[in-house]
Amino acid sequence: MLTILRKELVDYFTSIRCLVLFILVFIASAAAIYGAYYGIREASIDPGPVFIKLFTTGEDLPSLVVFIAMLVPIIGVALGFDAINGERSSGTLNRILSQPIYRDSVINGKFLAGIITLAIMIGAIILIVGGYGLRMIGVPPTAEEIIRIFIYFISAVIYGAFWMGLAILFSVLFRSLAVSLLFPMAIWILLGIPASVFNPYISFFVPAVSNSVSVQLMLMRLSPYFLFEEAYWVLLIPAWRGYGLLTTTTSSMLPNPLSLDQSLLIVWPQLTALIAITAVCFAISYVVFMRQEIRST
Amino acid sequence: MGKKIVVKTEGLTKKYDGVTVVDNLNLQVAENEVFGLLGPNGAGKTTTILMLLGLTEPASGTAQVYGFDSTREPLKVKRLAGYLPEKVGFYDTLTARENLRFITELNNIGYAESEPLIEQVLKSVGLGEVGDKTVNKFSRGMKQRLGIADVLVKKPKVAFLDEPTAGLDPEGINQIIDLIANLPKTGTTVVFSSHRLYEVQRVCHSIGILSKGKMVVEGSLDEVGRDALAEGRYRIEVETAEPSPQLVKVIKKIKGVRKVEAEGKVLRITADSDLRAEISKAVVQSGMALIQVKIQEFSLDDIYMKYFHEG
Ligand SMILES: Nc1ncnc2c1ncn2[C@@H]1O[C@H](COP(=O)(O)OP(=O)(O)OP(=O)(O)O)[C@@H](O)[C@H]1O
Ligand SMILES: [Mg+2]
């Protein structure tokens, strides 16, 4: 499996696709730094952590976290959509599978290589913005901020892994590259539509639901999009209150801003839910792939 | 025979959506033999090879390679077997050499051993000059050659080649066919499918003809030929200076001779076994000048046509 992992990594890093993604990453970082620079000047009178604001403030531009939330699914899908069917149609899959390797090492190797690539890309954005930001504002991050950012990094990688897992799933299920690219993209766009758009439909079909905020919240939490959004706001803006936090009975007892361990406690379910849906995607791809007919004709 | 059977199927059956495409197939290939799998399009040749490699699961029956069950111990089979797929593909952005190196790595062949091996294999398939070109610059035939290199580089005990000469130029065909013919000498048994009968005839020790998933005939080339074209008998042609009715009588008396027909200077003899020695002795003893004695060779073309015109 190490051989496959290494080959996949080399593949990713020498591909044009990867170059395009890296250009996107740099543009996003530059825009975020620019936005944060002007944003922070105005906000610097606020109390609380400063360094972390680099990631969450933007002037008129969206802030870095918003950029990342948009970019990560694209990277994930781009890395995964042709994982299996690409090899199948190029005729390399049956050649590889006739070598003395376990069939699962092919899909495991691809998934792992994808996660490493994702981690490098997201890590690059955070380091670039962090580095330039440090020079700009001159306030070093506190230990707590570093931990928050690190956990944010992990959750972004998991979020990307979900999209990649989804794309790999479609690449196992469908022979056509166009289909396996369009399906995850369509899901991404669908999930990106604010939940409020769906409310009329939901209340039409199940009237009871619309009245209950907690049921709505539960439905929203099925969406990886929302899970990630909630996780990063809680992690990076300790003073933030929104969505579910406002409605939970305990919210009035929460101190403002949240301490680190309280933030972690709150995002823990979100993170595990993200990991769970990623694992489900991967498990389905795995099972289907293991029993699949491999012939390409 | 006494030869070790290394590839074997028993009652091998495969169904796609309820349609039987390989039907109760029993096949045996002896060690260090070249076995040719023939049959019209859709006969089930590729499917059979896939099942032998454990790449496709049979509906029933077993496939074995060197005693390992292809379905239950695919890894052991894949360690011993090389496979050239029908439609061979490579990583386009890697060079020929890098593609082969990937395969040696997957087979745990160390770098020190693999480099000279790759070099040698590339040369043997006629790609010595272009080993460092990326595969997207290869023509169809060059890719096919690389596919064969890809099989050879893992030094398989059994090579399964699905139409190895498809897409090759005439010289390439000869080169590859010679290569295949020489594989048994280095301890590789070959099973290959092909539509070019003359190349099968040139290199195969035995053949099997598939039709609609069933084995129509299987055996060594002359066995199959005799069964198909001479009701299992031997045909011997004797050319003499001037055949006399008396000679015909003498030959008819030889034990095992079934029929003698005269046609000009040639006597066509049908016999139960190879009686060339006895017949020439009889001719010479009767004082006749013997020009030549030959046993009829069976053209695979005739054999093949015979099966597919009748069925
Ligand atoms: N994925 C599939 N699904 C359903 N049927 C299939 C599939 N693949 C092959 N078949 C059927 O299986 C039968 C045998 O196919 P196979 O590829 O083994 O033939 P073949 O002898 O290799 O033919 P060719 O000479 O054209 O290569 C064919 O009738 C084909 O229609
Ligand atoms: Mg075929």
Side-chain angles (χ1 to χ4, degrees):
Chain A
M1 193 182 83
L2 276 179
T3 309
I4 294 183
L5 177 62
R6 198 170 64 224
K7 188 220 137 245
E8 291 298 329
L9 279 175
V10 172
D11 256 19
Y12 280 143
F13 284 103
T14 51
S15 65
I16 296 179
R17 182 191 318 178
C18 205
L19 190 73
V20 171
L21 291 179
F22 262 111
I23 291 172
L24 264 177
V25 163
F26 282 117
I27 292 175
S29 313
I33 291 170
Y34 177 83
Y37 182 64
Y38 289 98
I40 285 180
R41 278 185 164 182
E42 282 156 34
S44 55
I45 351 115
D46 285 357
V50 181
F51 186 77
I52 219 164
K53 285 213 178 74
L54 273 173
F55 295 88
T56 52
T57 23
E59 176 70 329
D60 300 322
L61 286 160
S63 66
L64 181 67
V65 283
V66 177
F67 265 126
I68 290 186
M70 253 163 49
L71 213 54
V72 159
I74 298 180
I75 298 176
V77 171
L79 290 178
F81 80 97
D82 66 345
I84 300 297
N85 56 6
E87 294 236 6
R88 191 194 295 281
S89 61
S90 73
T92 44
L93 188 62
N94 46 7
R95 223 164 42 81
I96 298 308
L97 289 180
S98 69
Q99 306 307 326
I101 50 162
Y102 291 101
R103 195 184 263 216
D104 54 354
S105 59
V106 173
I107 194 164
N108 293 346
K110 280 178 182 291
F111 195 70
L112 223 67
I115 289 182
I116 293 174
T117 312
L118 261 170
I120 291 174
M121 287 191 174
I122 298 169
I125 307 183
I126 292 177
L127 288 179
I128 291 170
V129 173
Y132 268 92
L134 191 62
R135 281 184 56 188
M136 251 161 36
I137 59 173
V139 185
T142 62
E144 184 192 317
E145 283 174 310
I146 291 178
I147 295 173
R148 279 178 190 272
I149 291 169
F150 183 72
I151 295 170
Y152 165 71
F153 163 71
I154 304 258
S155 62
V157 172
I158 298 171
Y159 184 55
F162 161 75
W163 288 102
M164 189 178 64
L166 193 70
I168 290 180
L169 174 60
F170 285 111
S171 88
V172 170
L173 292 177
F174 298 99
R175 304 256 154 141
S176 145
L177 288 179
V179 173
S180 66
L181 177 62
L182 281 176
F183 258 109
M185 280 301 181
I187 292 177
W188 177 54
I189 290 169
L190 210 68
L191 290 180
I193 298 171
S196 54
V197 174
F198 294 110
N199 278 348
Y201 300 101
I202 295 175
S203 55
F204 180 78
F205 289 111
V206 249
V209 169
S210 60
N211 306 326
S212 155
V213 182
S214 61
V215 172
Q216 268 187 33
L217 195 70
M218 212 183 71
L219 281 176
M220 280 164 81
R221 283 201 172 129
L222 288 175
S223 149
Y225 191 84
F226 179 73
L227 285 173
F228 180 60
E229 205 174 29
E230 208 173 27
Y232 71 68
W233 286 129
V234 172
L235 276 171
L236 296 182
I237 312 181
W240 184 74
R241 291 289 180 281
Y243 299 129
L245 296 186
L246 276 180
T247 64
T248 49
T249 46
T250 50
S251 68
S252 52
M253 291 179 241
L254 292 172
N256 194 0
L258 286 175
S259 71
L260 177 62
D261 46 343
Q262 276 164 329
S263 299
L264 287 185
L265 215 60
I266 291 171
V267 296
W268 188 243
Q270 269 80 353
L271 287 188
T272 37
L274 265 180
I275 294 175
I277 52 176
T278 308
V280 166
C281 272
F282 183 69
I284 299 175
S285 334
Y286 183 93
V287 169
V288 174
F289 179 65
M290 289 301 278
R291 358 189 68 232
Q292 201 169 39
E293 184 75 37
I294 67 105
R295 67 188 300 166
S296 49
T297 45
Chain B
M1 285 248 278
K3 268 198 154 182
K4 190 173 160 199
I5 299 296
V6 293
V7 176
K8 188 162 130 188
T9 72
E10 271 167 9
L12 194 65
T13 303
K14 175 75 188 179
K15 290 183 180 150
Y16 280 120
D17 315 318
V19 182
T20 308
V21 296
V22 172
D23 195 356
N24 204 12
L25 193 72
N26 297 308
L27 181 132
Q28 295 198 339
V29 181
E31 189 165 35
N32 294 337
E33 245 195 8
V34 180
F35 184 89
L37 207 49
L38 302 173
N41 293 136
K45 303 180 293 293
T46 301
T47 314
T48 305
I49 292 178
L50 285 173
M51 285 191 286
L52 279 165
L53 277 158
L55 290 176
T56 291
E57 277 193 31
S60 62
T62 57
Q64 286 186 356
V65 175
Y66 272 92
F68 297 119
D69 188 298
S70 305
T71 317
R72 271 179 285 137
E73 306 165 288
L75 240 51
K76 287 182 178 154
V77 170
K78 287 170 189 173
R79 217 162 273 145
L80 297 171
Y83 171 49
L84 171 73
E86 203 165 19
K87 185 186 148 227
V88 63
F90 295 91
Y91 296 109
D92 269 354
T93 52
L94 301 184
T95 65
R97 201 181 300 273
E98 286 165 344
N99 266 293
L100 294 184
R101 193 173 299 136
F102 184 49
I103 296 299
T104 58
E105 278 171 15
L106 290 180
N107 281 284
N108 284 324
I109 301 175
Y111 196 77
E113 193 187 339
S114 70
E115 286 316 288
L117 191 63
I118 290 172
E119 198 60 49
Q120 175 214 326
V121 164
L122 278 174
K123 221 171 257 156
S124 72
V125 296
L127 294 177
E129 314 273 276
V130 290
D132 291 315
K133 254 191 177 180
T134 53
V135 175
N136 54 11
K137 300 195 184 99
F138 273 28
S139 71
R140 158 100 168 79
M142 286 161 86
K143 282 187 192 161
Q144 186 74 14
R145 286 165 189 250
L146 186 57
I148 290 161
D150 182 79
V151 173
L152 299 180
V153 82
K154 64 187 279 196
K155 289 194 184 154
K157 291 295 285 171
V158 188
F160 293 98
L161 311 174
D162 205 343
E163 304 189 23
T165 55
L168 294 182
D169 54 34
E171 202 196 326
I173 293 178
N174 282 332
Q175 200 179 356
I176 297 308
I177 284 298
D178 287 344
L179 209 68
I180 292 175
N182 282 323
L183 283 177
K185 287 180 201 149
T186 51
T188 302
T189 311
V190 183
V191 175
F192 81 108
S193 82
S194 179
H195 292 296
R196 296 171 205 266
L197 300 175
Y198 76 93
E199 75 184 29
V200 174
Q201 180 149 22
R202 243 181 74 192
V203 295
C204 288
H205 302 106
S206 19
I207 60 162
I209 300 182
L210 281 178
S211 169
K212 296 184 189 129
K214 285 200 178 70
M215 188 65 89
V216 192
V217 270
E218 188 197 349
S220 76
L221 207 57
D222 26 293
E223 264 169 40
V224 169
R226 276 197 301 284
D227 285 344
L229 301 173
E231 288 93 34
R233 306 249 156 77
Y234 287 77
R235 291 223 172 129
I236 300 164
E237 288 183 359
V238 180
E239 194 178 342
T240 56
E242 168 187 332
S244 61
Q246 201 211 334
L247 179 63
V248 173
K249 259 186 218 156
V250 173
I251 292 174
K252 268 188 177 158
K253 278 197 195 118
I254 298 173
K255 198 172 158 230
V257 171
R258 293 277 161 159
K259 204 164 88 186
V260 183
E261 294 163 54
E263 194 186 307
K265 290 182 176 176
V266 179
L267 295 178
R268 288 184 206 286
I269 300 159
T270 309
D272 285 341
S273 55
D274 187 356
L275 296 174
R276 275 179 296 179
E278 288 82 348
I279 292 169
S280 11
K281 212 166 94 191
V283 176
V284 174
Q285 275 171 0
S286 61
M288 212 71 74
L290 180 64
I291 295 172
Q292 65 164 346
V293 181
K294 69 173 185 204
I295 195 142
Q296 181 183 1
E297 299 217 341
F298 299 97
S299 124
L300 195 51
D301 250 316
D302 297 339
I303 301 171
Y304 191 88
M305 288 311 159
K306 154 117 182 162
Y307 281 108
F308 290 102
H309 274 264
E310 288 181 350

